Amino acid sequence: MSRMPHTPPVPPENGREEPGFPFFRVYLLCTPERVPLLPGLPAFDPNRIRVIDPRSLTSDLFVDAVNAVVSGDPKPVPRWALYDCAETTGVVVGCLDHRGLPVSLLAATPTTVEGEWHTFTLRAHDPGLAIRTARLMVDLTRPRAVTAVSPYRGGSIDVFTMLGRVMLVTAYTPAHSEPMSATIRVHPGEERPTGGEVLTVDTRREEALRRLQDEIESGDRYDIAAGPGIDGLLSVEKTDAPSRGDA
Amino acid sequence: MPRAAATRDMNTLLEPFLVTRGDPAGRYDLEPFGLTVSPGLCYEATRSATGAVIDRLVKLDSLTFGPEGMPMPRWMFYELAAFPGAIFGFGLDAGVLPDASRERLGLGDGDRGLVPVSMYIAIPIMPRVWCGHNLASLKRVLPELGLRRLASRTKAFALRCLRCEQQIGATQWDSDALFVHAKFGVLELLSAWTPAHEFPATLTYRLDVTEAGLRHALGEGGPPTAPPADFEIDADDHAAMRTLQTRIEAGERFAITGKPRVGEGTRRIPIARID
Protein backbone atom coordinates (compact mmCIF):
# COMPACT_ATOMS: atom_id res chain seq x y z
CA MET A 1 0.00 0.00 0.00
CA SER A 2 1.31 3.42 -0.76
CA ARG A 3 1.97 6.08 1.79
CA MET A 4 -0.69 8.73 1.46
CA PRO A 5 -2.50 10.95 3.93
CA HIS A 6 -5.84 9.63 4.99
CA THR A 7 -8.73 11.29 3.22
CA PRO A 8 -12.13 10.78 4.79
CA PRO A 9 -14.78 9.25 2.56
CA VAL A 10 -17.33 11.64 1.14
CA PRO A 11 -20.96 10.68 1.71
CA PRO A 12 -23.07 10.24 -1.40
CA GLU A 13 -24.74 13.41 -2.62
CA ASN A 14 -27.95 11.77 -3.72
CA GLY A 15 -27.98 8.65 -1.61
CA ARG A 16 -27.76 6.44 -4.67
CA GLU A 17 -25.56 3.40 -4.37
CA GLU A 18 -23.43 2.61 -7.37
CA PRO A 19 -21.89 -0.73 -8.26
CA GLY A 20 -19.26 -1.39 -5.64
CA PHE A 21 -19.10 2.25 -4.66
CA PRO A 22 -21.45 3.85 -2.20
CA PHE A 23 -19.34 6.80 -1.11
CA PHE A 24 -16.51 7.69 -3.42
CA ARG A 25 -16.46 9.30 -6.78
CA VAL A 26 -14.33 7.32 -9.16
CA TYR A 27 -12.22 7.77 -12.26
CA LEU A 28 -11.56 5.75 -15.36
CA LEU A 29 -8.51 6.41 -17.51
CA CYS A 30 -8.81 4.71 -20.91
CA THR A 31 -9.02 5.40 -24.62
CA PRO A 32 -12.28 6.37 -26.34
CA GLU A 33 -12.09 3.04 -28.20
CA ARG A 34 -12.19 1.14 -24.89
CA VAL A 35 -15.20 2.97 -23.42
CA PRO A 36 -17.92 1.15 -25.43
CA LEU A 37 -16.24 -2.18 -24.61
CA LEU A 38 -16.76 -1.79 -20.86
CA PRO A 39 -20.00 -3.65 -20.19
CA GLY A 40 -20.41 -2.28 -16.68
CA LEU A 41 -19.95 1.39 -17.45
CA PRO A 42 -23.62 2.18 -18.26
CA ALA A 43 -24.57 1.18 -14.71
CA PHE A 44 -22.51 4.03 -13.27
CA ASP A 45 -24.00 7.43 -12.57
CA PRO A 46 -22.17 9.70 -15.06
CA ASN A 47 -22.00 12.40 -12.40
CA ARG A 48 -19.95 10.17 -10.16
CA ILE A 49 -17.45 8.74 -12.63
CA ARG A 50 -14.84 10.84 -14.36
CA VAL A 51 -13.74 9.33 -17.67
CA ILE A 52 -10.38 10.61 -18.90
CA ASP A 53 -8.80 10.05 -22.31
CA PRO A 54 -5.04 9.62 -21.74
CA ARG A 55 -4.32 10.76 -25.29
CA SER A 56 -5.99 14.12 -24.79
CA LEU A 57 -3.85 17.21 -24.18
CA THR A 58 -6.22 18.22 -21.38
CA SER A 59 -5.55 15.01 -19.48
CA ASP A 60 -2.01 15.91 -18.46
CA LEU A 61 -2.70 17.29 -14.98
CA PHE A 62 -5.00 14.43 -14.10
CA VAL A 63 -2.50 11.88 -15.39
CA ASP A 64 0.14 13.61 -13.25
CA ALA A 65 -2.13 13.12 -10.23
CA VAL A 66 -2.71 9.46 -11.09
CA ASN A 67 1.03 8.86 -11.35
CA ALA A 68 1.51 10.67 -8.06
CA VAL A 69 -0.42 7.85 -6.37
CA VAL A 70 2.47 5.49 -7.14
CA SER A 71 5.31 7.99 -6.88
CA GLY A 72 6.03 7.03 -3.27
CA ASP A 73 6.68 3.39 -4.16
CA PRO A 74 10.26 2.16 -3.76
CA LYS A 75 10.21 1.14 -7.43
CA PRO A 76 7.25 2.98 -8.96
CA VAL A 77 5.72 1.68 -12.14
CA PRO A 78 7.16 3.84 -14.94
CA ARG A 79 4.80 6.40 -16.39
CA TRP A 80 5.34 5.00 -19.89
CA ALA A 81 4.41 1.53 -18.67
CA LEU A 82 1.07 2.72 -17.35
CA TYR A 83 0.46 4.45 -20.68
CA ASP A 84 1.57 1.59 -22.92
CA CYS A 85 0.27 -1.35 -20.89
CA ALA A 86 -2.94 -0.10 -19.30
CA GLU A 87 -4.18 3.27 -20.54
CA THR A 88 -3.64 2.23 -24.18
CA THR A 89 -4.61 -1.42 -23.87
CA GLY A 90 -7.08 -1.52 -20.99
CA VAL A 91 -7.97 0.74 -18.09
CA VAL A 92 -6.63 2.49 -15.02
CA VAL A 93 -9.31 2.95 -12.37
CA GLY A 94 -9.46 4.38 -8.90
CA CYS A 95 -11.24 6.55 -6.38
CA LEU A 96 -11.28 10.32 -6.09
CA ASP A 97 -11.20 12.35 -2.94
CA HIS A 98 -13.47 15.32 -2.24
CA ARG A 99 -11.14 17.54 -4.28
CA GLY A 100 -11.42 15.25 -7.28
CA LEU A 101 -7.88 13.92 -6.88
CA PRO A 102 -7.03 10.22 -7.25
CA VAL A 103 -6.47 8.41 -3.96
CA SER A 104 -6.26 4.88 -5.29
CA LEU A 105 -5.23 3.09 -8.44
CA LEU A 106 -5.56 -0.24 -10.18
CA ALA A 107 -4.26 -0.85 -13.69
CA ALA A 108 -5.72 -3.62 -15.81
CA THR A 109 -5.15 -5.01 -19.28
CA PRO A 110 -6.86 -7.81 -21.21
CA THR A 111 -4.98 -11.07 -21.65
CA THR A 112 -4.98 -13.62 -24.44
CA VAL A 113 -7.59 -15.61 -22.50
CA GLU A 114 -11.05 -14.48 -23.53
CA GLY A 115 -12.77 -12.45 -20.81
CA GLU A 116 -9.70 -12.38 -18.56
CA TRP A 117 -7.99 -9.19 -17.35
CA HIS A 118 -4.59 -8.95 -15.73
CA THR A 119 -4.39 -6.38 -12.95
CA PHE A 120 -1.27 -4.71 -11.60
CA THR A 121 -0.20 -1.86 -9.34
CA LEU A 122 -3.04 -1.84 -6.82
CA ARG A 123 -2.48 1.17 -4.59
CA ALA A 124 -4.70 2.58 -1.85
CA HIS A 125 -4.14 4.02 1.59
CA ASP A 126 -6.13 1.37 3.38
CA PRO A 127 -7.39 -2.15 2.72
CA GLY A 128 -11.00 -1.04 2.50
CA LEU A 129 -10.21 1.37 -0.28
CA ALA A 130 -8.10 -1.27 -2.03
CA ILE A 131 -11.05 -3.68 -2.01
CA ARG A 132 -13.34 -0.96 -3.36
CA THR A 133 -10.88 -0.18 -6.11
CA ALA A 134 -10.55 -3.82 -7.13
CA ARG A 135 -14.33 -4.16 -7.08
CA LEU A 136 -14.63 -1.05 -9.23
CA MET A 137 -12.45 -2.68 -11.87
CA VAL A 138 -14.61 -5.79 -11.80
CA ASP A 139 -17.82 -3.76 -11.98
CA LEU A 140 -16.57 -1.92 -15.05
CA THR A 141 -15.05 -4.80 -17.01
CA ARG A 142 -17.26 -7.67 -15.78
CA PRO A 143 -14.50 -10.18 -16.43
CA ARG A 144 -14.75 -13.96 -16.43
CA ALA A 145 -11.49 -13.95 -14.49
CA VAL A 146 -8.97 -11.51 -13.08
CA THR A 147 -5.29 -12.30 -12.64
CA ALA A 148 -2.68 -10.63 -10.47
CA VAL A 149 0.81 -11.18 -9.14
CA SER A 150 1.31 -10.54 -5.48
CA PRO A 151 4.28 -10.94 -3.19
CA TYR A 152 3.32 -12.92 -0.12
CA ARG A 153 4.74 -10.33 2.22
CA GLY A 154 2.58 -7.22 2.27
CA GLY A 155 0.77 -8.21 -0.88
CA SER A 156 -2.80 -7.98 -1.99
CA ILE A 157 -3.96 -11.58 -1.95
CA ASP A 158 -6.47 -10.85 0.80
CA VAL A 159 -7.99 -8.07 -1.28
CA PHE A 160 -8.66 -10.45 -4.13
CA THR A 161 -10.11 -13.16 -1.89
CA MET A 162 -12.89 -10.65 -1.15
CA LEU A 163 -13.93 -10.77 -4.81
CA GLY A 164 -14.50 -14.49 -5.22
CA ARG A 165 -12.73 -17.77 -5.72
CA VAL A 166 -8.95 -17.40 -5.99
CA MET A 167 -6.92 -20.08 -7.73
CA LEU A 168 -3.17 -20.35 -7.51
CA VAL A 169 -1.49 -20.15 -10.93
CA THR A 170 2.06 -20.00 -9.57
CA ALA A 171 3.23 -20.38 -6.00
CA TYR A 172 6.82 -19.45 -6.78
CA THR A 173 7.59 -17.14 -9.69
CA PRO A 174 11.22 -16.81 -10.81
CA ALA A 175 10.13 -15.00 -13.98
CA HIS A 176 9.08 -12.10 -11.73
CA SER A 177 11.48 -9.75 -9.98
CA GLU A 178 10.19 -11.09 -6.67
CA PRO A 179 10.20 -14.89 -7.03
CA MET A 180 8.44 -15.30 -3.68
CA SER A 181 5.24 -14.03 -5.26
CA ALA A 182 2.05 -15.78 -6.20
CA THR A 183 0.24 -15.49 -9.49
CA ILE A 184 -3.46 -15.76 -8.79
CA ARG A 185 -6.57 -16.12 -10.89
CA VAL A 186 -9.74 -14.72 -9.38
CA HIS A 187 -13.21 -15.76 -10.43
CA PRO A 188 -15.41 -12.89 -9.25
CA GLY A 189 -18.58 -13.82 -7.47
CA GLU A 190 -17.75 -17.53 -7.49
CA GLU A 191 -17.62 -19.44 -4.23
CA ARG A 192 -14.62 -21.58 -3.45
CA PRO A 193 -15.44 -25.27 -3.58
CA THR A 194 -14.54 -27.13 -0.42
CA GLY A 195 -13.78 -30.70 0.50
CA GLY A 196 -10.27 -31.01 -0.87
CA GLU A 197 -7.05 -31.59 0.98
CA VAL A 198 -6.02 -28.42 2.85
CA LEU A 199 -2.34 -27.54 3.10
CA THR A 200 -0.62 -24.84 5.09
CA VAL A 201 2.42 -23.35 3.41
CA ASP A 202 4.96 -21.15 5.13
CA THR A 203 5.43 -18.41 2.53
CA ARG A 204 8.59 -17.18 4.26
CA ARG A 205 10.33 -20.41 3.24
CA GLU A 206 11.47 -20.50 -0.36
CA GLU A 207 11.79 -24.27 -0.36
CA ALA A 208 8.13 -24.71 0.63
CA LEU A 209 7.03 -22.43 -2.19
CA ARG A 210 9.23 -24.27 -4.67
CA ARG A 211 7.65 -27.59 -3.65
CA LEU A 212 4.15 -26.21 -4.12
CA GLN A 213 5.16 -24.78 -7.48
CA ASP A 214 6.52 -28.19 -8.54
CA GLU A 215 3.16 -29.71 -7.70
CA ILE A 216 1.35 -27.07 -9.73
CA GLU A 217 3.69 -27.70 -12.66
CA SER A 218 2.90 -31.40 -12.32
CA GLY A 219 -0.77 -30.65 -12.82
CA ASP A 220 -2.18 -30.19 -9.32
CA ARG A 221 -4.57 -27.27 -8.82
CA TYR A 222 -5.07 -25.26 -5.69
CA ASP A 223 -7.52 -22.68 -4.41
CA ILE A 224 -6.42 -20.18 -1.83
CA ALA A 225 -8.43 -20.80 1.31
CA ALA A 226 -6.85 -17.97 3.29
CA GLY A 227 -4.15 -15.47 2.42
CA PRO A 228 -0.93 -15.35 4.41
CA GLY A 229 -1.40 -13.52 7.67
CA ILE A 230 1.33 -11.84 9.66
CA ASP A 231 2.70 -15.30 10.40
CA GLY A 232 3.17 -15.87 6.65
CA LEU A 233 1.08 -19.03 6.62
CA LEU A 234 -0.90 -19.53 3.43
CA SER A 235 -3.80 -21.95 3.42
CA VAL A 236 -4.47 -23.68 0.12
CA GLU A 237 -6.94 -26.37 -0.82
CA LYS A 238 -6.43 -28.94 -3.53
CA THR A 239 -9.22 -28.90 -6.04
CA ASP A 240 -10.51 -30.74 -9.07
CA ALA A 241 -13.47 -28.43 -9.52
CA PRO A 242 -13.31 -26.35 -12.69
CA SER A 243 -14.24 -22.73 -12.47
CA ARG A 244 -17.39 -21.38 -14.08
CA GLY A 245 -15.08 -18.87 -15.74
CA ASP A 246 -13.33 -21.71 -17.55
CA ALA A 247 -16.54 -23.20 -18.90
CA MET B 1 39.03 -21.36 -25.86
CA PRO B 2 38.24 -19.04 -28.77
CA ARG B 3 35.11 -19.89 -30.68
CA ALA B 4 35.43 -19.91 -34.46
CA ALA B 5 32.22 -18.40 -35.68
CA ALA B 6 33.22 -15.23 -37.44
CA THR B 7 33.13 -16.84 -40.85
CA ARG B 8 29.61 -18.21 -40.47
CA ASP B 9 26.57 -16.22 -41.53
CA MET B 10 24.79 -15.72 -38.24
CA ASN B 11 21.59 -14.75 -40.03
CA THR B 12 21.16 -18.36 -41.10
CA LEU B 13 21.59 -19.58 -37.52
CA LEU B 14 18.90 -17.41 -35.94
CA GLU B 15 16.21 -19.43 -34.21
CA PRO B 16 12.75 -18.06 -33.33
CA PHE B 17 11.45 -18.34 -29.78
CA LEU B 18 8.20 -17.53 -28.02
CA VAL B 19 7.43 -16.85 -24.36
CA THR B 20 3.76 -16.89 -23.46
CA ARG B 21 1.19 -18.51 -21.20
CA GLY B 22 -0.68 -21.65 -22.13
CA ASP B 23 -0.40 -23.87 -25.16
CA PRO B 24 0.48 -21.66 -28.14
CA ALA B 25 -0.60 -24.28 -30.70
CA GLY B 26 -3.71 -23.15 -32.50
CA ARG B 27 -3.72 -19.68 -30.98
CA TYR B 28 -0.56 -18.59 -32.74
CA ASP B 29 1.02 -19.27 -36.10
CA LEU B 30 4.03 -21.36 -35.09
CA GLU B 31 5.33 -21.49 -38.65
CA PRO B 32 5.41 -17.81 -39.56
CA PHE B 33 6.61 -17.38 -43.12
CA GLY B 34 7.48 -21.07 -43.12
CA LEU B 35 9.93 -20.85 -40.24
CA THR B 36 9.11 -23.28 -37.44
CA VAL B 37 9.11 -22.16 -33.83
CA SER B 38 10.28 -25.40 -32.29
CA PRO B 39 8.39 -26.70 -29.23
CA GLY B 40 11.60 -26.56 -27.22
CA LEU B 41 11.79 -22.82 -27.77
CA CYS B 42 8.17 -22.14 -26.76
CA TYR B 43 8.54 -21.18 -23.12
CA GLU B 44 5.62 -21.35 -20.68
CA ALA B 45 5.57 -18.07 -18.75
CA THR B 46 4.39 -19.58 -15.48
CA ARG B 47 6.99 -22.32 -15.19
CA SER B 48 9.94 -21.85 -12.87
CA ALA B 49 12.47 -22.70 -15.58
CA THR B 50 11.36 -19.69 -17.62
CA GLY B 51 13.00 -17.40 -15.06
CA ALA B 52 16.37 -18.06 -16.73
CA VAL B 53 14.95 -17.08 -20.12
CA ILE B 54 13.63 -13.85 -18.63
CA ASP B 55 17.11 -13.10 -17.24
CA ARG B 56 18.51 -13.14 -20.77
CA LEU B 57 15.67 -11.00 -22.09
CA VAL B 58 16.34 -8.46 -19.36
CA LYS B 59 19.96 -8.31 -20.52
CA LEU B 60 18.86 -7.86 -24.12
CA ASP B 61 16.55 -5.03 -23.10
CA SER B 62 19.12 -3.25 -20.97
CA LEU B 63 21.74 -3.42 -23.74
CA THR B 64 19.19 -2.00 -26.20
CA PHE B 65 17.35 0.58 -24.11
CA GLY B 66 19.55 1.23 -21.12
CA PRO B 67 21.46 4.00 -22.90
CA GLU B 68 18.16 5.71 -23.80
CA GLY B 69 17.06 5.74 -20.19
CA MET B 70 13.97 3.61 -20.72
CA PRO B 71 14.90 0.08 -19.69
CA MET B 72 12.04 -2.20 -18.68
CA PRO B 73 11.86 -3.31 -15.04
CA ARG B 74 12.20 -7.09 -14.70
CA TRP B 75 8.71 -7.61 -13.28
CA MET B 76 7.24 -6.20 -16.47
CA PHE B 77 8.67 -9.05 -18.55
CA TYR B 78 6.35 -11.36 -16.67
CA GLU B 79 3.39 -9.20 -15.71
CA LEU B 80 3.11 -6.99 -18.77
CA ALA B 81 4.58 -9.20 -21.42
CA ALA B 82 4.76 -13.00 -21.20
CA PHE B 83 1.81 -13.52 -18.84
CA PRO B 84 -0.93 -11.46 -20.48
CA GLY B 85 0.62 -11.45 -23.97
CA ALA B 86 3.69 -12.78 -25.71
CA ILE B 87 7.37 -12.23 -26.35
CA PHE B 88 8.59 -13.33 -29.77
CA GLY B 89 12.19 -13.06 -30.86
CA PHE B 90 15.24 -14.54 -32.43
CA GLY B 91 18.21 -16.03 -30.69
CA LEU B 92 21.52 -17.75 -31.33
CA ASP B 93 22.93 -20.75 -29.59
CA ALA B 94 25.54 -19.63 -27.07
CA GLY B 95 28.00 -22.03 -28.65
CA VAL B 96 28.16 -20.16 -31.95
CA LEU B 97 28.78 -16.73 -30.45
CA PRO B 98 32.29 -15.29 -30.79
CA ASP B 99 34.13 -14.38 -27.61
CA ALA B 100 33.61 -10.65 -28.09
CA SER B 101 29.84 -11.12 -28.19
CA ARG B 102 29.83 -13.46 -25.22
CA GLU B 103 31.77 -10.95 -23.20
CA ARG B 104 29.42 -8.09 -24.03
CA LEU B 105 26.44 -10.27 -23.18
CA GLY B 106 28.00 -11.21 -19.86
CA LEU B 107 28.04 -14.91 -20.67
CA GLY B 108 30.36 -17.18 -18.71
CA ASP B 109 32.21 -20.15 -20.14
CA GLY B 110 29.59 -22.50 -18.81
CA ASP B 111 26.59 -20.66 -20.22
CA ARG B 112 24.70 -22.67 -22.83
CA GLY B 113 21.41 -22.57 -24.67
CA LEU B 114 19.63 -19.97 -26.69
CA VAL B 115 20.79 -16.37 -26.32
CA PRO B 116 18.09 -13.92 -27.47
CA VAL B 117 19.37 -11.20 -29.79
CA SER B 118 16.00 -9.62 -30.57
CA MET B 119 12.47 -9.54 -29.22
CA TYR B 120 9.09 -8.03 -29.85
CA ILE B 121 6.76 -7.74 -26.89
CA ALA B 122 3.04 -7.38 -27.42
CA ILE B 123 -0.04 -7.54 -25.24
CA PRO B 124 -3.58 -7.89 -26.54
CA ILE B 125 -6.10 -5.08 -26.67
CA MET B 126 -8.85 -7.20 -28.16
CA PRO B 127 -8.85 -10.27 -30.41
CA ARG B 128 -6.37 -9.79 -33.29
CA VAL B 129 -5.46 -6.30 -32.05
CA TRP B 130 -2.17 -6.03 -30.17
CA CYS B 131 -0.17 -3.29 -28.57
CA GLY B 132 3.52 -3.67 -29.32
CA HIS B 133 5.45 -2.04 -26.50
CA ASN B 134 9.00 -3.23 -26.94
CA LEU B 135 11.10 -3.92 -30.02
CA ALA B 136 14.70 -4.69 -29.11
CA SER B 137 17.60 -5.72 -31.30
CA LEU B 138 21.29 -6.26 -30.61
CA LYS B 139 22.31 -5.61 -34.21
CA ARG B 140 24.21 -2.46 -33.27
CA VAL B 141 25.48 -3.75 -29.95
CA LEU B 142 26.99 -6.85 -31.57
CA PRO B 143 28.15 -5.60 -35.00
CA GLU B 144 30.56 -8.51 -35.31
CA LEU B 145 27.58 -10.82 -35.87
CA GLY B 146 26.60 -9.08 -39.11
CA LEU B 147 22.89 -9.40 -38.39
CA ARG B 148 20.73 -7.87 -41.11
CA ARG B 149 17.24 -6.29 -40.82
CA LEU B 150 16.96 -7.84 -37.39
CA ALA B 151 14.40 -5.44 -35.87
CA SER B 152 12.18 -5.38 -38.98
CA ARG B 153 12.39 -9.12 -39.34
CA THR B 154 11.57 -9.68 -35.69
CA LYS B 155 8.51 -7.44 -35.78
CA ALA B 156 7.27 -8.98 -39.05
CA PHE B 157 7.60 -12.55 -37.79
CA ALA B 158 6.05 -11.59 -34.45
CA LEU B 159 3.00 -9.95 -36.01
CA ARG B 160 2.50 -13.01 -38.21
CA CYS B 161 3.03 -15.40 -35.32
CA LEU B 162 0.50 -13.55 -33.15
CA ARG B 163 -1.99 -13.41 -36.03
CA CYS B 164 -2.12 -9.67 -35.51
CA GLU B 165 -4.42 -7.73 -37.84
CA GLN B 166 -4.09 -4.33 -36.23
CA GLN B 167 -1.23 -3.05 -34.11
CA ILE B 168 -1.07 -0.08 -31.79
CA GLY B 169 2.24 1.35 -30.69
CA ALA B 170 3.86 4.36 -29.10
CA THR B 171 7.26 5.69 -30.02
CA GLN B 172 9.20 8.91 -29.87
CA TRP B 173 9.31 11.17 -32.93
CA ASP B 174 13.11 11.09 -32.89
CA SER B 175 13.43 7.34 -32.31
CA ASP B 176 15.25 5.15 -34.82
CA ALA B 177 12.41 2.67 -34.33
CA LEU B 178 10.25 4.84 -36.56
CA PHE B 179 12.36 3.72 -39.55
CA VAL B 180 11.32 0.16 -38.75
CA HIS B 181 7.64 0.80 -38.03
CA ALA B 182 7.20 2.87 -41.19
CA LYS B 183 8.23 -0.07 -43.35
CA PHE B 184 5.03 -1.87 -42.40
CA GLY B 185 2.67 0.66 -43.93
CA VAL B 186 0.76 3.82 -43.16
CA LEU B 187 0.79 4.66 -39.44
CA GLU B 188 -2.37 6.50 -38.45
CA LEU B 189 -1.63 8.96 -35.68
CA LEU B 190 -3.77 8.49 -32.58
CA SER B 191 -1.70 11.04 -30.71
CA ALA B 192 1.07 13.37 -31.80
CA TRP B 193 1.97 14.86 -28.42
CA THR B 194 1.44 12.59 -25.43
CA PRO B 195 1.87 14.06 -21.95
CA ALA B 196 0.58 10.82 -20.41
CA HIS B 197 3.80 9.16 -21.56
CA GLU B 198 7.19 9.59 -19.89
CA PHE B 199 8.30 11.54 -22.95
CA PRO B 200 5.56 13.87 -24.25
CA ALA B 201 7.21 13.97 -27.68
CA THR B 202 5.75 10.52 -28.20
CA LEU B 203 3.34 9.58 -30.95
CA THR B 204 0.77 6.81 -30.73
CA TYR B 205 0.00 5.04 -33.97
CA ARG B 206 -2.33 2.44 -35.41
CA LEU B 207 -1.15 0.08 -38.14
CA ASP B 208 -3.38 -2.13 -40.26
CA VAL B 209 -1.18 -5.18 -40.75
CA THR B 210 -1.02 -6.27 -44.39
CA GLU B 211 0.81 -8.95 -46.30
CA ALA B 212 2.47 -6.27 -48.44
CA GLY B 213 3.69 -4.43 -45.35
CA LEU B 214 5.08 -7.55 -43.73
CA ARG B 215 6.83 -8.59 -46.94
CA HIS B 216 8.29 -5.15 -47.42
CA ALA B 217 9.67 -5.21 -43.89
CA LEU B 218 11.31 -8.52 -44.74
CA GLY B 219 12.96 -6.94 -47.76
CA GLU B 220 10.60 -8.43 -50.31
CA GLY B 221 8.69 -6.14 -52.66
CA GLY B 222 8.10 -2.43 -52.64
CA PRO B 223 6.55 -0.35 -49.88
CA PRO B 224 2.82 -0.64 -49.25
CA THR B 225 0.59 1.93 -50.90
CA ALA B 226 0.57 5.24 -49.06
CA PRO B 227 -0.98 8.62 -49.77
CA PRO B 228 1.40 11.43 -50.72
CA ALA B 229 2.66 13.48 -47.80
CA ASP B 230 1.02 16.87 -47.28
CA PHE B 231 3.73 18.18 -44.96
CA GLU B 232 6.58 17.09 -42.73
CA ILE B 233 7.16 17.29 -38.98
CA ASP B 234 10.62 17.92 -37.71
CA ALA B 235 11.52 15.32 -35.06
CA ASP B 236 12.51 18.14 -32.68
CA ASP B 237 9.61 20.50 -33.33
CA HIS B 238 7.49 20.17 -30.19
CA ALA B 239 5.27 23.10 -31.12
CA ALA B 240 4.33 21.42 -34.40
CA MET B 241 3.56 18.19 -32.52
CA ARG B 242 1.25 20.05 -30.14
CA THR B 243 -0.50 21.73 -33.05
CA LEU B 244 -0.96 18.41 -34.77
CA GLN B 245 -2.35 16.93 -31.56
CA THR B 246 -4.85 19.78 -31.29
CA ARG B 247 -6.02 19.08 -34.82
CA ILE B 248 -6.34 15.34 -34.07
CA GLU B 249 -8.46 16.12 -31.02
CA ALA B 250 -10.61 18.38 -33.21
CA GLY B 251 -11.40 15.37 -35.38
CA GLU B 252 -8.87 15.57 -38.20
CA ARG B 253 -6.98 12.40 -39.10
CA PHE B 254 -3.32 12.16 -40.02
CA ALA B 255 -0.86 9.43 -40.83
CA ILE B 256 2.85 8.90 -41.19
CA THR B 257 3.32 7.86 -44.80
CA GLY B 258 6.91 6.70 -44.90
CA LYS B 259 10.25 6.58 -43.16
CA PRO B 260 11.82 9.77 -41.77
CA ARG B 261 13.83 11.88 -44.20
CA VAL B 262 17.27 12.51 -42.79
CA GLY B 263 19.12 15.71 -43.62
CA GLU B 264 22.11 17.44 -42.13
CA GLY B 265 21.30 17.40 -38.43
CA THR B 266 17.59 17.05 -39.11
CA ARG B 267 15.04 14.31 -39.26
CA ARG B 268 11.68 15.02 -40.84
CA ILE B 269 8.67 12.73 -40.79
CA PRO B 270 6.23 12.77 -43.74
CA ILE B 271 2.58 13.31 -42.77
CA ALA B 272 -0.59 13.06 -44.82
CA ARG B 273 -4.07 14.13 -43.93
CA ILE B 274 -6.36 11.12 -44.38
CA ASP B 275 -10.11 10.55 -44.57
Side-chain angles (χ1 to χ4, degrees):
Chain A
M1 301 294 150
S2 65
R3 292 162 289 282
M4 284 179 290
H6 177 71
T7 307
V10 179
E13 289 162 7
N14 55 12
R16 174 182 165 171
E17 288 209 353
E18 289 188 40
F21 257 94
F23 301 120
F24 287 84
R25 286 197 305 140
V26 300
Y27 71 89
L28 164 64
L29 190 55
C30 70
T31 64
E33 295 84 28
R34 173 60 63 190
V35 168
L37 301 177
L38 295 171
L41 184 57
F44 283 76
D45 180 344
N47 294 317
R48 301 189 71 80
I49 185 163
R50 185 174 177 194
V51 182
I52 307 286
D53 175 5
R55 298 200 296 250
S56 166
L57 280 173
T58 57
S59 72
D60 59 345
L61 291 178
F62 189 81
V63 173
D64 285 349
V66 168
N67 279 274
V69 174
V70 295
S71 64
D73 290 4
K75 292 179 183 173
V77 58
R79 188 177 172 111
W80 69 264
L82 271 187
Y83 179 74
D84 278 19
C85 303
E87 294 160 22
T88 296
T89 59
V91 296
V92 175
V93 299
C95 302
L96 300 167
D97 69 7
H98 64 286
R99 298 164 298 176
L101 293 174
V103 290
S104 70
L105 181 155
L106 179 60
T109 191
T111 78
T112 54
V113 179
E114 189 185 349
E116 182 186 271
W117 286 68
H118 181 68
T119 60
F120 61 100
T121 314
L122 175 60
R123 297 291 179 272
H125 60 64
D126 66 52
L129 187 56
I131 292 166
R132 286 193 174 103
T133 304
R135 194 165 284 153
L136 167 64
M137 182 268 165
V138 168
D139 286 341
L140 281 167
T141 59
R142 295 187 183 165
R144 289 171 72 176
V146 174
T147 57
V149 180
S150 176
Y152 292 104
R153 192 182 295 259
S156 51
I157 291 175
D158 286 333
V159 171
F160 288 102
T161 58
M162 303 296 287
L163 299 180
R165 179 183 180 187
V166 179
M167 301 183 79
L168 204 53
V169 179
T170 68
Y172 179 74
T173 317
H176 197 266
S177 45
E178 292 187 56
M180 291 172 77
S181 296
T183 307
I184 56 175
R185 191 163 194 253
V186 188
H187 301 274
E190 191 173 321
E191 281 193 24
R192 180 174 60 82
T194 53
E197 180 189 358
V198 176
L199 305 174
T200 299
V201 180
D202 187 345
T203 60
R204 296 163 302 184
R205 291 182 52 235
E206 187 171 330
E207 191 49 41
L209 295 175
R210 281 178 185 270
R211 266 205 307 275
L212 185 56
Q213 175 66 19
D214 286 345
E215 290 183 31
I216 291 172
E217 292 190 17
S218 298
D220 287 346
R221 301 172 73 193
Y222 291 92
D223 284 316
I224 291 182
I230 52 171
D231 56 4
L233 297 180
L234 174 74
S235 179
V236 295
E237 185 167 347
K238 211 168 189 173
T239 182
D240 294 323
S243 161
R244 284 203 313 264
D246 294 328
Chain B
M1 188 174 65
R3 290 162 181 82
T7 56
R8 303 173 74 175
D9 182 355
M10 292 291 170
N11 293 280
T12 64
L13 301 178
L14 289 169
E15 293 185 80
F17 67 88
L18 180 68
V19 191
T20 189
R21 178 168 56 124
D23 183 1
R27 287 189 297 147
Y28 301 134
D29 178 354
L30 296 179
E31 294 191 345
F33 300 108
L35 186 65
T36 301
V37 187
S38 74
L41 298 181
C42 289
Y43 303 102
E44 164 59 51
T46 61
R47 295 187 80 87
S48 289
T50 303
V53 180
I54 298 292
D55 286 339
R56 289 188 170 173
L57 295 175
V58 170
K59 183 71 178 177
L60 160 62
D61 179 75
S62 67
L63 285 171
T64 307
F65 294 109
E68 291 181 20
M70 211 163 44
M72 205 162 104
R74 192 177 191 283
W75 65 270
M76 282 185 66
F77 284 84
Y78 181 66
E79 284 211 52
L80 299 177
F83 187 81
I87 306 172
F88 178 95
F90 286 104
L92 288 164
D93 188 86
V96 306
L97 290 170
D99 287 344
S101 304
R102 293 178 65 92
E103 191 177 331
R104 223 162 295 140
L105 292 164
L107 296 176
D109 277 347
D111 285 323
R112 299 279 182 272
L114 192 80
V115 179
V117 294
S118 71
M119 66 176 167
Y120 185 71
I121 299 180
I123 55 176
I125 296 177
M126 58 186 77
R128 308 257 169 171
V129 180
W130 292 75
C131 174
H133 70 76
N134 188 320
L135 175 59
S137 153
L138 292 182
K139 177 183 160 181
R140 289 182 187 169
V141 177
L142 305 174
E144 66 275 13
L145 298 182
L147 299 171
R148 296 185 297 272
R149 283 183 173 270
L150 185 57
S152 304
R153 197 173 168 190
T154 302
K155 179 170 176 176
F157 274 82
L159 293 178
R160 174 56 61 85
C161 176
L162 301 177
R163 304 187 198 278
C164 176
E165 293 176 359
Q166 195 173 71
Q167 183 246 323
I168 309 293
T171 193
Q172 287 67 58
W173 283 95
D174 60 359
S175 169
D176 290 345
L178 209 44
F179 288 89
V180 175
H181 301 314
K183 289 179 187 171
F184 287 81
V186 170
L187 308 175
E188 180 175 359
L189 286 168
L190 302 177
S191 77
W193 179 258
T194 317
H197 196 279
E198 206 106 11
F199 303 106
T202 290
L203 62 94
T204 311
Y205 68 86
R206 175 167 52 208
L207 166 74
D208 287 327
V209 179
T210 63
E211 183 73 17
L214 295 174
R215 293 283 177 188
H216 178 60
L218 292 172
E220 305 166 12
T225 309
D230 294 313
F231 59 94
E232 292 179 323
I233 291 264
D234 191 290
D236 295 327
D237 190 347
H238 292 182
M241 294 167 200
R242 283 197 187 91
T243 301
L244 194 56
Q245 176 65 24
T246 303
R247 293 177 69 182
I248 291 170
E249 290 187 29
E252 291 186 83
R253 295 174 65 196
F254 298 93
I256 294 173
T257 58
K259 64 181 183 182
R261 188 166 62 84
V262 179
E264 203 167 306
T266 64
R267 188 178 286 191
R268 300 178 69 79
I269 295 93
I271 308 288
R273 192 173 170 190
I274 57 175
D275 295 326

